[in-house]
Amino acid sequence: MAASKNKIGFVLAGLLLSILMASMDNTIVATAMGILSASSADSTSSSGLLPRTW
């Protein structure tokens, strides 16, 4: 019974860690998106990754 609770603890810790990492990734991308779109609008070559607004 103790081994089962230990496994559940590891699984729960892994799930919580993955949720934390996903939310941090989402925060970083959302913050950088303005900078990325501004730099792509200033460049003369289009990479095709972000839409250009004229």
Side-chain angles (χ1 to χ4, degrees), residues 7-52:
K7 287 181 183 179
I8 291 174
F10 278 122
V11 170
L12 185 62
L15 287 173
L16 290 174
L17 185 61
S18 65
I19 291 171
L20 174 70
M21 296 301 284
S23 65
M24 287 175 59
D25 178 54
N26 193 18
T27 302
I28 292 169
V29 170
T31 304
M33 189 56 73
I35 297 168
L36 291 173
S37 63
S39 68
S40 71
D42 292 339
S43 67
T44 58
S45 64
S46 175
S47 64
L49 295 176
L50 298 172
R52 300 192 94 170

